[in-house]
């Protein structure tokens, strides 16, 4: 799909899509298989074929600072498009502090219904801006690392980088 750009970072190659104002529409690790609904959603958001170099550089610089332990939050503009429930889940993800984790059940309870953990998991998996909206901070109820589009090794790496996992 036109509009998806590869950016090499010390975390590994990522793929990103930007809108005409430089906001990130998609951020994920290269090698992630795009699902048809995600591609269709991205196409409707009209990502630019050639984003401003400053937008790409800002994202790369902030990812590098994060990877080096010099950044705990991002100041990169992004646009989230999803259902009302997905928006609520993504908002809850953004409230998980750097260096902490939550279980799917904890997020469901925070959203008002502890029985929604599977729905929270689906919304978490639909997050279009990995790392910026920290879906990697969600773990299984027993503390195990579960599903991550960038792979479980990357999820573990990010959580170690943040100090949420210690040896």
């Amino acid at each position: 799909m036109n509009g998806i750009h590869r950016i090499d970072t010390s975390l590994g190659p990522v793929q990103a899509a930007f809108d005409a104002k430089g906001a990130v529409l998609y951020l994920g690790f290269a090698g992630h298989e795009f699902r048809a609904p995600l591609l269709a959603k991205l196409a409707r958001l009209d990502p630019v074929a050639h984003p401003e170099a400053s937008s790409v550089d800002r994202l790369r610089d902030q990812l590098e600072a994060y990877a080096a332990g010099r950044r705990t939050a991002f100041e990169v503009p992004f646009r989230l498009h999803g259902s009302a429930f997905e928006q609520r889940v993504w908002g809850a993800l953004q409230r998980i502090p750097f260096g902490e984790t939550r279980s799917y059940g904890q997020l469901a309870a925070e959203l008002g219904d502890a029985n929604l953990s599977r729905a929270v998991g689906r919304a978490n998996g639909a997050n279009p801006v990995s790392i910026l909206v920290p879906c990697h901070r969600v773990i299984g109820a027993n503390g195990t690392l579960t599903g991550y589009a960038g792979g479980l090794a990357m999820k573990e790496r990010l959580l170690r980088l943040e100090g949420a996992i210690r040896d």
Side-chain angles (χ1 to χ4, degrees), residues 12-125:
V14 297
Q15 294 173 310
F18 300 85
D19 69 12
K21 294 181 180 179
V24 178
L25 299 173
Y26 172 79
L27 176 62
F29 289 95
H32 166 63
E33 287 188 32
F34 287 102
R35 296 177 304 263
L38 175 60
L39 285 174
K41 184 184 283 188
L42 270 175
R44 287 191 306 273
L45 298 176
D46 199 26
V48 294
H50 304 287
E52 293 286 329
S54 61
S55 298
V56 176
D57 291 343
R58 179 178 53 227
L59 177 59
R60 180 187 302 108
D61 292 348
Q62 290 193 24
L63 288 171
E64 289 299 334
Y66 168 80
R70 296 187 316 269
R71 176 172 285 281
T72 61
F74 294 93
E75 297 169 3
V76 174
F78 57 85
R79 282 182 28 211
L80 296 173
H81 290 271
S83 70
F85 182 75
E86 287 172 334
Q87 295 282 348
R88 288 180 57 218
V89 170
W90 298 336
L93 293 175
Q94 292 175 73
R95 291 188 295 275
I96 302 172
F98 181 92
E100 295 184 20
T101 60
R102 300 288 185 274
S103 72
Y104 295 97
Q106 287 172 314
L107 283 178
E110 180 183 322
L111 295 171
D113 187 345
N115 295 318
L116 292 176
S117 60
R118 288 182 191 265
V120 165
R122 283 190 298 277
N124 197 51

Side-chain angles (χ1 to χ4, degrees), residues 104-153:
Y104 295 97
Q106 287 172 314
L107 283 178
E110 180 183 322
L111 295 171
D113 187 345
N115 295 318
L116 292 176
S117 60
R118 288 182 191 265
V120 165
R122 283 190 298 277
N124 197 51
N127 172 19
V129 289
S130 185
I131 304 177
L132 302 179
V133 173
C135 55
H136 62 278
R137 295 180 187 156
V138 183
I139 60 174
N142 62 0
T144 58
L145 301 186
T146 59
Y148 186 63
L152 292 182

